[in-house]
Amino acid sequence: MFKELEISGTGVLIFYILIALIVIGLIYFFRRKYSGYSLDTLRENNQNVKNADLGSRTKFPEVDNFKLSNSFVNFGFAAAMAISLVTMSWTIYEKKIVITDDMMDFEDEVEVEVPRTAEPPPPPPPPPPPVIQEVPDEVEVQQEDFKSQDVKEETKLTAPVAVNAPPPPPPPPPPPPKEEEIFKKVEQMPRFPGCEDMKGSDAEKEECAKKKLLEFIYGNLKYPTIARENGVEGNVVVQFVVDKDGSVKDINIVRDIGAGCGTAAETAVNSMNSMGRKWTPGKQLGRPVKVLYTLPIRFKLE
């Protein structure tokens, strides 16, 4: 019956004020009513009246407010039921996030400005040419004395001394493990959760996932105070890796407009790891892979 009953915060406040005014009005009404009787008038009206009821002996019937106890109890029950119903129907509306068409165009390739560095030093001067020395035509060649290598009976032969060979060198260390490739484009791009159960093609699911992603980001994005005070606006480009298990890591700000906007965008992206659901990972050749995702986030003052 009350399934579609929705009451805003202003309506709840007005209802509470109305209940308070009704209670105050009842109190004021009965105080005025009972204060209109004088003691002499009450004695004169009830001089010859005899009641066996103990309550009638201690109170005059005209000012006996206990006879309205049932009415007060019923009014209290009705007020409590109304307060409970209105409180449970108190509806808090989420902030409406408007996603325009130009915000759906994600940048695949982001031009990153290369920071300026100091000019390299000039190359060293070339070495001087070699000096050519003159070689005389006649060169004296010293003749060496050749000794006879004949072995005679009286020649004593000594065996050569064995020299221990050095130990073999240690084996080379194993190569470091090869890092998994991070793709920029895959057959099935990763998708933000919330659209996997819908009917439609992969392109429709991807479009729905982009819209859900922007709604989440702008719902959790906090405009920095210093940027708001100085009127800083623009686009912050964030890149992050969607891992094979759907988690978000390696967040990198590739384009920042300053005034804390880059940090605010990074915080909003990092909050996706604590939302309770993970991305649908990207797939290449039917297996999940790591994908580099580029997300522009617009900061615009309203």
Side-chain angles (χ1 to χ4, degrees):
M1 177 179 178
F2 301 103
K3 184 177 179 181
E4 302 298 332
L5 183 60
E6 297 180 358
I7 302 177
S8 62
T10 304
V12 173
L13 179 61
I14 293 174
F15 175 77
Y16 287 162
I17 294 174
L18 181 62
I19 291 293
L21 291 177
I22 292 175
V23 173
I24 294 173
L26 289 174
I27 295 173
Y28 181 76
F29 170 76
F30 283 106
R31 288 189 64 180
R32 287 288 303 272
K33 177 182 177 181
Y34 292 144
S35 63
Y37 294 101
S38 63
L39 183 58
D40 295 336
T41 303
L42 293 172
R43 287 177 178 175
E44 183 179 354
N45 294 337
N46 296 277
Q47 184 175 6
N48 299 323
V49 177
K50 294 182 180 181
N51 290 321
D53 188 9
L54 182 60
S56 299
R57 296 178 186 178
T58 57
K59 281 187 175 292
F60 296 109
E62 291 85 350
V63 294
D64 185 10
N65 55 357
F66 286 103
K67 63 184 179 181
L68 300 175
S69 298
N70 293 332
S71 299
F72 290 151
V73 170
N74 293 333
F75 173 75
F77 281 141
M81 290 289 293
I83 291 174
S84 301
L85 178 62
V86 171
T87 304
M88 288 187 294
S89 302
W90 182 9
T91 305
I92 300 177
Y93 297 94
E94 295 182 357
K95 180 182 177 182
K96 188 176 181 180
I97 301 174
V98 179
I99 307 298
T100 57
D101 294 337
D102 56 345
M103 297 169 65
M104 299 291 292
D105 297 332
F106 291 179
E107 302 180 25
D108 296 330
E109 296 293 336
V110 180
E111 297 180 0
V112 181
E113 182 179 357
V114 179
R116 296 181 179 179
T117 57
E119 295 183 0
V131 179
I132 302 175
Q133 297 180 354
E134 184 179 358
V135 179
D137 295 336
E138 297 181 357
V139 179
E140 295 182 358
V141 179
Q142 297 180 355
Q143 295 182 357
E144 297 182 358
D145 296 335
F146 294 95
K147 295 181 180 180
S148 177
Q149 303 293 327
D150 296 339
V151 179
K152 299 180 180 180
E153 293 180 0
E154 61 273 9
T155 304
K156 294 181 179 180
L157 300 177
T158 57
V161 180
V163 180
N164 295 330
K178 186 178 180 182
E179 296 184 359
E180 295 186 19
E181 183 180 0
I182 299 177
F183 296 84
K184 290 185 178 180
K185 281 287 187 180
V186 291
E187 296 174 352
Q188 180 180 322
M189 292 295 291
R191 294 195 290 260
F192 188 80
C195 300
E196 296 304 313
D197 296 334
M198 67 172 291
K199 296 181 180 179
S201 61
D202 288 342
E204 294 174 346
K205 291 182 179 180
E206 185 175 351
E207 196 72 16
C208 171
K210 287 182 178 181
K211 188 174 181 180
K212 293 282 187 181
L213 170 61
L214 293 178
E215 290 177 356
F216 177 85
I217 290 296
Y218 289 108
N220 291 272
L221 184 65
K222 295 182 180 179
Y223 213 114
T225 305
I226 186 173
R228 189 182 298 275
E229 292 176 352
N230 292 276
V232 177
E233 295 181 341
N235 288 342
V236 174
V237 180
V238 185
Q239 283 186 342
F240 54 90
V241 175
V242 180
D243 209 344
K244 294 189 294 185
D245 61 350
S247 59
V248 175
K249 65 178 186 179
D250 298 339
I251 304 172
N252 182 30
I253 306 298
V254 297
R255 184 185 299 168
D256 195 357
I257 58 176
C261 294
T263 304
E266 182 178 357
T267 302
V269 172
N270 193 30
S271 63
M272 289 189 288
N273 287 324
S274 58
M275 63 182 177
R277 297 176 296 171
K278 293 186 177 182
W279 284 58
T280 300
K283 292 184 178 181
Q284 182 72 6
L285 299 177
R287 61 182 183 89
V289 293
K290 296 181 179 181
V291 180
L292 182 65
Y293 203 91
T294 303
L295 175 64
I297 300 177
R298 175 180 297 178
F299 285 82
K300 185 176 181 180
L301 296 171
E302 297 179 355

